[in-house]
């Protein structure tokens, strides 16, 4: 089973659609393995988005993501990385396919409701970023938490 990291961004809280967003992932058949309510520091957000350092949107993105709490979630499922990116939709809602999370709820190409890891490598790095050693993630089959 593949795992991915999905962050429900502060704008989802502002719009009070956190539950609706979670529902999209549940309806796709993914299972939640763990979650954390996190207000990132600017340093943390900057580190999380390090791949974008130097781009014009980096600073405002870091500010947005550290301005208020996010709901960090880990999901498991078959091909979950690709399939979750598909239901999230393109970065800018103007380009996103109808029915995707971003097409339905994003305001613009920054305030776009969710983050989803885009490759197995970034998924594992991002999971480790928020859940070191996987601690706090639940193994449903074994009915136990991952231990350090
Ligand atoms: N972003 C932005 N302006 C842009 C492109 C991206 O503010 O022109 C923000 C947006 O919140 C996006 C995040 O930076 O989700 C990461 O960008 P990326 O290109 O990785 O998009 P994603 O993988 O989230 O679709
Ligand atoms: Mg990305």
């Amino acid at each position: 089973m593949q795992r991915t990291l999905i962050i429900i961004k502060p704008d989802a809280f502002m719009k009070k659609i956190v539950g609706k967003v979670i529902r999209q992932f549940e309806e796709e058949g993914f299972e939640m393995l763990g979650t954390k309510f996190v207000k990132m520091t600017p340093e943390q957000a900057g580190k999380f988005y390090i791949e974008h350092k130097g781009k014009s949107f980096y600073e405002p993105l870091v500010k947005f993501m550290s301005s208020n709490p996010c709901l960090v979630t880990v999901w498991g499922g078959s091909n979950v990385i690709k399939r979750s990116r598909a239901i999230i939709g393109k970065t800018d809602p103007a380009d996103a396919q109808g029915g995707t999370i971003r097409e339905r709820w994003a305001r613009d190409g920054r305030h776009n409701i969710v983050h989803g890891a885009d490759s197995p490598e970034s998924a594992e790095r991002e999971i480790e970023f928020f859940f070191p050693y996987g601690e706090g993630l639940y193994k449903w089959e074994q009915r136990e938490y991952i231990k350090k």
Side-chain angles (χ1 to χ4, degrees):
M1 187 192 61
Q2 196 176 57
R3 305 188 303 178
T4 195
L5 188 98
I6 301 290
I7 302 178
I8 304 180
K9 298 184 179 185
D11 53 331
F13 284 90
M14 301 301 177
K15 288 193 154 175
K16 306 201 185 302
I17 55 162
V18 172
K20 288 181 182 172
V21 171
I22 289 175
R23 184 175 180 177
Q24 308 306 307
F25 294 97
E26 285 185 333
E27 285 186 346
E28 197 62 25
F30 305 143
E31 59 182 9
M32 196 190 283
L33 308 179
T35 183
K36 258 180 198 172
F37 184 68
V38 181
K39 185 176 179 187
M40 283 189 268
T41 64
E43 291 70 30
Q44 261 181 310
K47 210 171 150 194
F48 181 78
Y49 278 117
I50 198 73
E51 65 170 305
H52 296 303
K53 195 172 178 166
K55 295 181 187 166
S56 59
F57 62 84
Y58 179 71
E59 302 291 341
L61 168 65
V62 166
K63 194 170 173 198
F64 164 55
M65 291 297 287
S66 57
S67 63
N68 283 296
C70 293
L71 194 69
V72 179
T73 57
V74 177
W75 295 84
S78 152
N79 207 10
V80 65
I81 297 172
K82 242 187 157 161
R83 288 169 58 211
S84 60
R85 294 274 296 185
I87 64 167
I88 288 169
K90 295 245 174 76
T91 311
D92 188 326
D95 305 326
Q97 206 185 323
T100 57
I101 293 171
R102 285 168 169 169
E103 184 273 334
R104 293 174 75 177
W105 295 302
R107 184 169 89 200
D108 53 44
R110 175 165 312 122
H111 308 92
N112 58 6
I113 310 292
V114 273
H115 163 84
D118 64 2
S119 69
E121 295 71 33
S122 44
E124 288 308 309
R125 179 190 80 89
E126 293 175 11
I127 290 168
E128 185 66 23
F129 188 91
F130 288 107
F131 298 90
Y133 305 99
E135 221 177 356
L137 301 178
Y138 194 67
K139 294 187 283 187
W140 284 98
E141 272 166 31
Q142 287 92 342
R143 296 184 184 276
E144 62 182 23
Y145 283 103
I146 294 176
K147 289 180 215 88
K148 202 168 162 176

Short mmCIF file of all heavy atoms in Angstrom, two decimals, residues 48-95:
data_model
loop_
_atom_site.label_atom_id
_atom_site.label_comp_id
_atom_site.label_asym_id
_atom_site.label_seq_id
_atom_site.Cartn_x
_atom_site.Cartn_y
_atom_site.Cartn_z
N PHE A 48 9.72 23.13 4.40
CA PHE A 48 8.82 22.18 3.75
C PHE A 48 8.78 22.43 2.24
O PHE A 48 8.78 21.51 1.43
CB PHE A 48 7.41 22.28 4.35
CG PHE A 48 6.45 21.31 3.73
CD1 PHE A 48 6.48 19.98 4.10
CD2 PHE A 48 5.56 21.71 2.75
CE1 PHE A 48 5.63 19.06 3.51
CE2 PHE A 48 4.71 20.80 2.15
CZ PHE A 48 4.73 19.47 2.52
N TYR A 49 8.75 23.73 1.87
CA TYR A 49 8.63 24.10 0.45
C TYR A 49 9.98 24.48 -0.17
O TYR A 49 10.02 25.25 -1.12
CB TYR A 49 7.65 25.27 0.31
CG TYR A 49 6.19 24.84 0.30
CD1 TYR A 49 5.32 25.26 1.29
CD2 TYR A 49 5.69 24.04 -0.73
CE1 TYR A 49 3.96 24.89 1.27
CE2 TYR A 49 4.35 23.67 -0.76
CZ TYR A 49 3.50 24.10 0.23
OH TYR A 49 2.17 23.73 0.19
N ILE A 50 11.06 23.92 0.36
CA ILE A 50 12.42 24.32 -0.05
C ILE A 50 12.63 24.20 -1.56
O ILE A 50 13.40 24.98 -2.15
CB ILE A 50 13.49 23.52 0.74
CG1 ILE A 50 14.85 24.19 0.66
CG2 ILE A 50 13.55 22.07 0.34
CD1 ILE A 50 14.97 25.45 1.48
N GLU A 51 11.93 23.24 -2.20
CA GLU A 51 12.11 23.06 -3.65
C GLU A 51 11.71 24.32 -4.43
O GLU A 51 12.12 24.50 -5.58
CB GLU A 51 11.32 21.86 -4.17
CG GLU A 51 9.82 22.03 -4.03
CD GLU A 51 8.98 20.95 -4.76
OE1 GLU A 51 9.16 20.75 -5.96
OE2 GLU A 51 8.14 20.33 -4.09
N HIS A 52 10.90 25.17 -3.82
CA HIS A 52 10.44 26.38 -4.51
C HIS A 52 11.24 27.63 -4.14
O HIS A 52 10.93 28.72 -4.60
CB HIS A 52 8.96 26.62 -4.22
CG HIS A 52 8.07 25.52 -4.75
ND1 HIS A 52 8.06 25.17 -6.08
CD2 HIS A 52 7.20 24.70 -4.13
CE1 HIS A 52 7.19 24.17 -6.26
NE2 HIS A 52 6.66 23.86 -5.09
N LYS A 53 12.25 27.47 -3.31
CA LYS A 53 13.05 28.61 -2.89
C LYS A 53 13.62 29.33 -4.11
O LYS A 53 14.13 28.67 -5.02
CB LYS A 53 14.18 28.17 -1.95
CG LYS A 53 14.79 29.32 -1.22
CD LYS A 53 15.76 28.92 -0.14
CE LYS A 53 16.30 30.22 0.45
NZ LYS A 53 16.99 30.04 1.68
N GLY A 54 13.51 30.66 -4.10
CA GLY A 54 14.02 31.43 -5.23
C GLY A 54 12.94 31.80 -6.23
O GLY A 54 13.12 32.73 -7.01
N LYS A 55 11.81 31.08 -6.19
CA LYS A 55 10.72 31.43 -7.11
C LYS A 55 9.96 32.63 -6.56
O LYS A 55 9.97 32.90 -5.36
CB LYS A 55 9.78 30.24 -7.29
CG LYS A 55 10.44 29.05 -7.98
CD LYS A 55 9.49 27.89 -8.17
CE LYS A 55 10.26 26.67 -8.70
NZ LYS A 55 9.47 25.44 -8.60
N SER A 56 9.26 33.32 -7.45
CA SER A 56 8.59 34.57 -7.05
C SER A 56 7.51 34.34 -6.00
O SER A 56 7.24 35.21 -5.18
CB SER A 56 7.97 35.23 -8.28
OG SER A 56 7.05 34.33 -8.87
N PHE A 57 6.89 33.16 -6.01
CA PHE A 57 5.79 32.93 -5.07
C PHE A 57 6.24 32.32 -3.74
O PHE A 57 5.41 32.10 -2.86
CB PHE A 57 4.71 32.05 -5.72
CG PHE A 57 5.16 30.66 -6.13
CD1 PHE A 57 5.19 29.63 -5.20
CD2 PHE A 57 5.53 30.39 -7.44
CE1 PHE A 57 5.60 28.35 -5.57
CE2 PHE A 57 5.94 29.11 -7.82
CZ PHE A 57 5.98 28.08 -6.88
N TYR A 58 7.55 32.07 -3.60
CA TYR A 58 8.03 31.35 -2.41
C TYR A 58 7.70 32.08 -1.10
O TYR A 58 7.09 31.51 -0.20
CB TYR A 58 9.53 31.12 -2.54
CG TYR A 58 10.18 30.41 -1.36
CD1 TYR A 58 9.95 29.07 -1.11
CD2 TYR A 58 11.04 31.10 -0.50
CE1 TYR A 58 10.56 28.42 -0.04
CE2 TYR A 58 11.66 30.46 0.57
CZ TYR A 58 11.41 29.12 0.80
OH TYR A 58 12.02 28.50 1.85
N GLU A 59 8.08 33.37 -1.02
CA GLU A 59 7.86 34.11 0.23
C GLU A 59 6.37 34.23 0.58
O GLU A 59 5.98 33.91 1.70
CB GLU A 59 8.51 35.51 0.17
CG GLU A 59 10.03 35.48 -0.09
CD GLU A 59 10.84 34.92 1.08
OE1 GLU A 59 10.31 34.87 2.21
OE2 GLU A 59 12.00 34.51 0.84
N PRO A 60 5.53 34.67 -0.36
CA PRO A 60 4.10 34.73 -0.02
C PRO A 60 3.49 33.36 0.31
O PRO A 60 2.60 33.27 1.15
CB PRO A 60 3.44 35.35 -1.25
CG PRO A 60 4.46 35.40 -2.32
CD PRO A 60 5.81 35.30 -1.67
N LEU A 61 3.99 32.32 -0.34
CA LEU A 61 3.50 30.96 -0.05
C LEU A 61 3.84 30.59 1.40
O LEU A 61 2.98 30.09 2.15
CB LEU A 61 4.14 29.95 -1.02
CG LEU A 61 3.96 28.48 -0.68
CD1 LEU A 61 2.49 28.06 -0.75
CD2 LEU A 61 4.80 27.60 -1.63
N VAL A 62 5.08 30.86 1.79
CA VAL A 62 5.53 30.54 3.15
C VAL A 62 4.70 31.32 4.16
O VAL A 62 4.26 30.80 5.19
CB VAL A 62 7.05 30.83 3.30
CG1 VAL A 62 7.46 30.83 4.76
CG2 VAL A 62 7.85 29.81 2.50
N LYS A 63 4.43 32.58 3.84
CA LYS A 63 3.64 33.42 4.74
C LYS A 63 2.22 32.86 4.87
O LYS A 63 1.68 32.75 5.98
CB LYS A 63 3.61 34.85 4.19
CG LYS A 63 3.11 35.85 5.19
CD LYS A 63 3.31 37.28 4.74
CE LYS A 63 2.61 38.21 5.74
NZ LYS A 63 2.37 39.53 5.19
N PHE A 64 1.63 32.53 3.76
CA PHE A 64 0.27 31.96 3.77
C PHE A 64 0.22 30.67 4.58
O PHE A 64 -0.66 30.48 5.43
CB PHE A 64 -0.16 31.72 2.32
CG PHE A 64 -1.35 30.80 2.15
CD1 PHE A 64 -2.55 31.05 2.80
CD2 PHE A 64 -1.28 29.69 1.31
CE1 PHE A 64 -3.65 30.20 2.64
CE2 PHE A 64 -2.36 28.84 1.15
CZ PHE A 64 -3.55 29.09 1.82
N MET A 65 1.16 29.78 4.36
CA MET A 65 1.12 28.47 5.01
C MET A 65 1.47 28.51 6.50
O MET A 65 1.17 27.56 7.22
CB MET A 65 2.06 27.50 4.29
CG MET A 65 1.58 27.13 2.89
SD MET A 65 0.00 26.25 2.88
CE MET A 65 0.49 24.64 3.51
N SER A 66 2.10 29.61 6.94
CA SER A 66 2.44 29.71 8.36
C SER A 66 1.55 30.71 9.09
O SER A 66 1.72 30.95 10.28
CB SER A 66 3.92 30.09 8.52
OG SER A 66 4.21 31.29 7.85
N SER A 67 0.58 31.27 8.37
CA SER A 67 -0.26 32.32 8.96
C SER A 67 -1.29 31.77 9.93
O SER A 67 -1.73 32.45 10.85
CB SER A 67 -0.98 33.09 7.84
OG SER A 67 -1.84 32.20 7.13
N ASN A 68 -1.71 30.56 9.71
CA ASN A 68 -2.77 29.91 10.47
C ASN A 68 -2.53 28.41 10.42
O ASN A 68 -1.73 27.94 9.62
CB ASN A 68 -4.14 30.23 9.84
CG ASN A 68 -4.62 31.64 10.18
OD1 ASN A 68 -4.86 31.95 11.33
ND2 ASN A 68 -4.72 32.47 9.16
N PRO A 69 -3.26 27.66 11.25
CA PRO A 69 -3.01 26.21 11.25
C PRO A 69 -3.45 25.50 9.97
O PRO A 69 -4.31 25.98 9.22
CB PRO A 69 -3.86 25.71 12.43
CG PRO A 69 -4.11 26.91 13.28
CD PRO A 69 -4.18 28.06 12.32
N CYS A 70 -2.82 24.35 9.77
CA CYS A 70 -3.16 23.43 8.68
C CYS A 70 -3.56 22.10 9.33
O CYS A 70 -3.21 21.84 10.48
CB CYS A 70 -1.93 23.12 7.83
SG CYS A 70 -1.29 24.50 6.90
N LEU A 71 -4.23 21.26 8.57
CA LEU A 71 -4.44 19.89 9.03
C LEU A 71 -3.56 18.99 8.15
O LEU A 71 -3.81 18.86 6.95
CB LEU A 71 -5.91 19.48 8.92
CG LEU A 71 -6.25 18.20 9.69
CD1 LEU A 71 -6.16 18.44 11.21
CD2 LEU A 71 -7.64 17.71 9.34
N VAL A 72 -2.52 18.46 8.78
CA VAL A 72 -1.59 17.59 8.06
C VAL A 72 -2.13 16.17 8.15
O VAL A 72 -2.42 15.70 9.25
CB VAL A 72 -0.19 17.67 8.70
CG1 VAL A 72 0.78 16.75 7.98
CG2 VAL A 72 0.32 19.11 8.68
N THR A 73 -2.28 15.52 7.01
CA THR A 73 -2.86 14.17 7.02
C THR A 73 -2.02 13.21 6.18
O THR A 73 -1.41 13.62 5.19
CB THR A 73 -4.31 14.16 6.45
OG1 THR A 73 -4.31 14.70 5.13
CG2 THR A 73 -5.24 14.99 7.31
N VAL A 74 -2.00 11.97 6.60
CA VAL A 74 -1.33 10.91 5.83
C VAL A 74 -2.39 9.91 5.42
O VAL A 74 -3.23 9.50 6.24
CB VAL A 74 -0.23 10.22 6.66
CG1 VAL A 74 0.42 9.09 5.88
CG2 VAL A 74 0.84 11.24 7.09
N TRP A 75 -2.37 9.55 4.12
CA TRP A 75 -3.37 8.63 3.59
C TRP A 75 -2.68 7.45 2.92
O TRP A 75 -1.62 7.61 2.31
CB TRP A 75 -4.24 9.34 2.55
CG TRP A 75 -5.07 10.44 3.12
CD1 TRP A 75 -4.67 11.73 3.35
CD2 TRP A 75 -6.43 10.36 3.57
NE1 TRP A 75 -5.70 12.46 3.91
CE2 TRP A 75 -6.80 11.64 4.04
CE3 TRP A 75 -7.39 9.33 3.61
CZ2 TRP A 75 -8.07 11.92 4.55
CZ3 TRP A 75 -8.66 9.62 4.11
CH2 TRP A 75 -8.99 10.89 4.58
N GLY A 76 -3.33 6.30 3.00
CA GLY A 76 -2.82 5.10 2.35
C GLY A 76 -3.82 4.60 1.33
O GLY A 76 -5.03 4.82 1.47
N GLY A 77 -3.30 3.93 0.31
CA GLY A 77 -4.17 3.35 -0.70
C GLY A 77 -3.37 2.96 -1.92
O GLY A 77 -2.20 3.32 -2.05
N SER A 78 -4.03 2.22 -2.80
CA SER A 78 -3.35 1.79 -4.00
C SER A 78 -3.17 3.00 -4.94
O SER A 78 -4.15 3.70 -5.24
CB SER A 78 -4.20 0.68 -4.62
OG SER A 78 -4.03 0.64 -5.99
N ASN A 79 -1.93 3.24 -5.34
CA ASN A 79 -1.61 4.36 -6.24
C ASN A 79 -2.10 5.71 -5.69
O ASN A 79 -2.50 6.59 -6.45
CB ASN A 79 -2.25 4.09 -7.61
CG ASN A 79 -1.51 4.75 -8.73
OD1 ASN A 79 -0.39 5.27 -8.56
ND2 ASN A 79 -2.11 4.79 -9.91
N VAL A 80 -2.06 5.84 -4.36
CA VAL A 80 -2.68 7.01 -3.71
C VAL A 80 -2.04 8.34 -4.13
O VAL A 80 -2.73 9.37 -4.16
CB VAL A 80 -2.69 6.83 -2.17
CG1 VAL A 80 -1.29 6.80 -1.60
CG2 VAL A 80 -3.53 7.90 -1.48
N ILE A 81 -0.76 8.33 -4.47
CA ILE A 81 -0.10 9.61 -4.80
C ILE A 81 -0.70 10.20 -6.07
O ILE A 81 -1.15 11.35 -6.10
CB ILE A 81 1.43 9.42 -4.94
CG1 ILE A 81 2.03 8.96 -3.60
CG2 ILE A 81 2.11 10.70 -5.43
CD1 ILE A 81 3.48 8.55 -3.66
N LYS A 82 -0.72 9.39 -7.11
CA LYS A 82 -1.27 9.84 -8.39
C LYS A 82 -2.77 10.12 -8.31
O LYS A 82 -3.27 11.14 -8.81
CB LYS A 82 -1.03 8.77 -9.45
CG LYS A 82 -0.16 9.27 -10.58
CD LYS A 82 -0.09 8.23 -11.66
CE LYS A 82 0.27 8.92 -12.97
NZ LYS A 82 0.79 7.98 -13.94
N ARG A 83 -3.49 9.20 -7.66
CA ARG A 83 -4.94 9.34 -7.60
C ARG A 83 -5.36 10.52 -6.74
O ARG A 83 -6.35 11.19 -7.04
CB ARG A 83 -5.58 8.04 -7.09
CG ARG A 83 -5.50 6.91 -8.13
CD ARG A 83 -5.88 5.57 -7.55
NE ARG A 83 -7.23 5.57 -6.99
CZ ARG A 83 -7.61 4.81 -5.96
NH1 ARG A 83 -6.74 3.99 -5.37
NH2 ARG A 83 -8.84 4.87 -5.51
N SER A 84 -4.60 10.81 -5.68
CA SER A 84 -4.98 11.97 -4.87
C SER A 84 -4.67 13.26 -5.62
O SER A 84 -5.47 14.20 -5.59
CB SER A 84 -4.29 11.94 -3.50
OG SER A 84 -2.90 11.94 -3.64
N ARG A 85 -3.58 13.30 -6.36
CA ARG A 85 -3.28 14.48 -7.17
C ARG A 85 -4.37 14.70 -8.21
O ARG A 85 -4.72 15.84 -8.55
CB ARG A 85 -1.92 14.33 -7.87
CG ARG A 85 -0.71 14.30 -6.94
CD ARG A 85 -0.17 15.64 -6.58
NE ARG A 85 0.36 16.38 -7.71
CZ ARG A 85 0.97 17.56 -7.61
NH1 ARG A 85 1.15 18.12 -6.41
NH2 ARG A 85 1.41 18.18 -8.67
N ALA A 86 -4.93 13.61 -8.72
CA ALA A 86 -5.99 13.72 -9.72
C ALA A 86 -7.25 14.35 -9.13
O ALA A 86 -7.88 15.20 -9.77
CB ALA A 86 -6.30 12.36 -10.33
N ILE A 87 -7.62 13.97 -7.92
CA ILE A 87 -8.84 14.56 -7.34
C ILE A 87 -8.59 15.96 -6.78
O ILE A 87 -9.51 16.73 -6.58
CB ILE A 87 -9.55 13.65 -6.30
CG1 ILE A 87 -8.69 13.41 -5.06
CG2 ILE A 87 -9.99 12.33 -6.93
CD1 ILE A 87 -9.48 12.79 -3.90
N ILE A 88 -7.31 16.28 -6.54
CA ILE A 88 -6.97 17.64 -6.09
C ILE A 88 -7.09 18.62 -7.26
O ILE A 88 -7.64 19.70 -7.11
CB ILE A 88 -5.55 17.67 -5.48
CG1 ILE A 88 -5.53 16.96 -4.12
CG2 ILE A 88 -5.03 19.11 -5.35
CD1 ILE A 88 -4.14 16.70 -3.54
N GLY A 89 -6.56 18.24 -8.39
CA GLY A 89 -6.62 19.12 -9.57
C GLY A 89 -5.39 19.99 -9.70
O GLY A 89 -4.54 20.05 -8.82
N LYS A 90 -5.30 20.69 -10.83
CA LYS A 90 -4.14 21.53 -11.13
C LYS A 90 -3.98 22.66 -10.10
O LYS A 90 -4.96 23.09 -9.49
CB LYS A 90 -4.28 22.11 -12.53
CG LYS A 90 -4.26 21.05 -13.64
CD LYS A 90 -3.04 21.22 -14.54
CE LYS A 90 -2.92 20.10 -15.55
NZ LYS A 90 -3.90 20.24 -16.66
N THR A 91 -2.76 23.15 -10.00
CA THR A 91 -2.41 24.17 -9.00
C THR A 91 -3.34 25.38 -9.03
O THR A 91 -3.81 25.84 -7.99
CB THR A 91 -0.95 24.63 -9.23
OG1 THR A 91 -0.12 23.47 -9.36
CG2 THR A 91 -0.46 25.51 -8.10
N ASP A 92 -3.57 25.91 -10.21
CA ASP A 92 -4.44 27.09 -10.38
C ASP A 92 -5.86 26.60 -10.71
O ASP A 92 -6.04 25.85 -11.67
CB ASP A 92 -3.89 27.95 -11.52
CG ASP A 92 -4.60 29.29 -11.63
OD1 ASP A 92 -5.82 29.35 -11.36
OD2 ASP A 92 -3.94 30.28 -11.99
N PRO A 93 -6.84 27.02 -9.92
CA PRO A 93 -8.21 26.52 -10.16
C PRO A 93 -8.73 26.82 -11.56
O PRO A 93 -9.59 26.10 -12.07
CB PRO A 93 -9.05 27.24 -9.09
CG PRO A 93 -8.22 28.39 -8.64
CD PRO A 93 -6.80 27.98 -8.81
N ALA A 94 -8.16 27.85 -12.18
CA ALA A 94 -8.58 28.18 -13.55
C ALA A 94 -8.21 27.07 -14.53
O ALA A 94 -8.85 26.92 -15.58
CB ALA A 94 -7.94 29.50 -13.98
N ASP A 95 -7.18 26.29 -14.18
CA ASP A 95 -6.73 25.19 -15.04
C ASP A 95 -7.27 23.84 -14.58
O ASP A 95 -7.11 22.84 -15.29
CB ASP A 95 -5.19 25.09 -15.02
CG ASP A 95 -4.51 26.39 -15.40
OD1 ASP A 95 -5.07 27.11 -16.24
OD2 ASP A 95 -3.43 26.68 -14.84
#
